[in-house]
Amino acid sequence: MTAVTATSGLVEVHNVHKSFHGVEVLKGIDLTVQPGEVVALLGPSGSGKSTLLRTINHLETVDAGSVTVDGEFIGYELRHGKLHELREREILQRRTQVGIVFQNFHLFPHLTALENITEAPLALKRQGRGEARELAFGLLERVGLAEKADAYPRQLSGGQQQRVAIARALALQPKVLLFDEPTSALDPELVGEVLDVIRDLAKLGTTLVIVTHEIGFAREVADRVVFLDQGRIVEQGTPADVLTRPQHPRTREFLAKVLG
């Protein structure tokens, strides 16, 4: 699906385990996402999709295994053969390589759309104010909201807020962009405008990992579909293979329910 050849944004998840309160949510996940690849993560609620996504940019620590982007650990460094968690400041710096868009937007209510986008580059001293504003205007234009630069989140629809959230994630020019069910909090008529923006990103060669229930969208945009169930990858392959000719009974059962 990708129209631009990407040279960075390789994600490697190796034997990742994660438990919450004694319940193992990820049970030895192995997943490699190639630079510029678009991967859709599908599965029932509680299958570990969102947790896996959050381990990629170290919003969740792992109990075992490792996650790297272009060979670099996001939240850890290797010392004497063991992984040690970095200081928070270093984690934040490395995390800028991996943007994430949540289902509930998480915009700052007291900042305008433009200010929401410039906040991180300015806080991290990536750019001067003028340069950050110029980039933010360009990103708003890219997501079709140039005329909403001075609007506050409360003045925007859910779809518009999500498009601002995508622009904000892009402001740090990440190698990888993660989406955690980006349309699930939207009214049905607003879903299309957000999916259109993600479609455009897919064509630009950014590595995308998308947790979604939009089967038609996954079929259209993803290079690969990965189906999770009970903390394990059950099946993966091209959208045509997984969504049209699923091999695993659990995948077939899930798709039958979702597609009716």
Side-chain angles (χ1 to χ4, degrees):
M1 295 287 177
T2 304
V4 176
T5 301
T7 57
S8 65
L10 171 66
V11 179
E12 295 175 291
V13 179
H14 176 64
N15 194 31
V16 162
H17 291 257
K18 178 64 180 180
S19 296
F20 294 104
H21 309 295
V23 177
E24 195 171 27
V25 177
L26 299 178
K27 302 173 182 177
I29 296 288
D30 287 296
L31 178 67
T32 299
V33 183
Q34 297 297 330
E37 188 178 14
V38 180
V39 171
L41 300 180
L42 302 182
S45 296
S47 59
K49 307 182 300 296
S50 293
T51 301
L52 173 58
L53 203 72
R54 291 167 67 89
T55 63
I56 293 174
N57 77 337
H58 199 67
L59 285 174
E60 295 290 354
T61 58
V62 301
D63 298 330
S66 64
V67 181
T68 60
V69 174
D70 289 337
E72 184 177 69
F73 300 104
I74 298 301
Y76 302 93
E77 65 179 354
L78 194 62
R79 295 200 306 265
H80 308 301
K82 289 188 176 182
L83 289 178
H84 297 268
E85 192 167 17
L86 294 167
R87 297 184 182 89
E88 185 63 25
R89 188 179 190 85
E90 295 167 303
I91 291 172
L92 290 172
Q93 285 289 345
R94 290 197 185 180
R95 192 181 280 151
T96 61
Q97 299 178 42
V98 186
I100 186 166
V101 177
F102 301 95
Q103 55 183 298
N104 291 317
F105 325 137
H106 291 309
L107 297 178
F108 295 110
H110 63 290
L111 300 180
T112 65
L114 188 78
E115 290 166 342
N116 264 283
I117 298 168
T118 60
E119 192 268 343
L122 291 175
L124 291 168
K125 296 181 171 56
R126 287 285 191 87
Q127 295 157 335
R129 187 166 299 276
E131 188 182 356
R133 284 175 61 85
E134 185 177 348
L135 174 64
F137 273 119
L139 290 170
L140 282 172
E141 191 169 17
R142 187 194 293 187
V143 300
L145 290 174
E147 78 286 359
K148 298 292 186 180
D150 295 324
Y152 289 90
R154 67 179 180 275
Q155 299 170 316
L156 302 173
S157 71
Q160 290 170 334
Q161 289 185 61
Q162 190 62 296
R163 284 189 278 159
V164 172
I166 293 171
R168 180 178 63 179
L170 290 170
L172 292 174
Q173 301 172 308
K175 297 177 178 180
V176 179
L177 199 51
L178 313 174
F179 290 89
D180 191 2
E181 299 191 30
T183 60
S184 66
L186 301 179
D187 292 334
E189 66 269 22
L190 301 177
V191 168
E193 64 190 56
V194 173
L195 296 185
D196 284 345
V197 171
I198 300 174
R199 283 187 188 96
D200 289 342
L201 290 174
K203 296 172 186 173
L204 293 173
T206 305
T207 304
L208 305 180
V209 184
I210 308 166
V211 172
T212 183
H213 285 114
E214 302 281 345
I215 303 298
F217 175 69
R219 189 190 306 275
E220 175 193 350
V221 172
D223 298 303
R224 182 159 41 120
V225 171
V226 176
F227 179 74
L228 285 86
D229 187 48
Q230 297 184 357
R232 291 187 171 91
I233 293 177
V234 171
E235 186 167 352
Q236 60 180 304
T238 67
D241 286 340
V242 176
L243 301 178
T244 307
R245 300 179 293 274
Q247 300 299 304
H248 197 282
R250 186 67 188 94
T251 315
R252 290 198 292 270
E253 179 189 357
F254 172 80
L255 289 172
K257 288 180 179 177
V258 172
L259 298 174

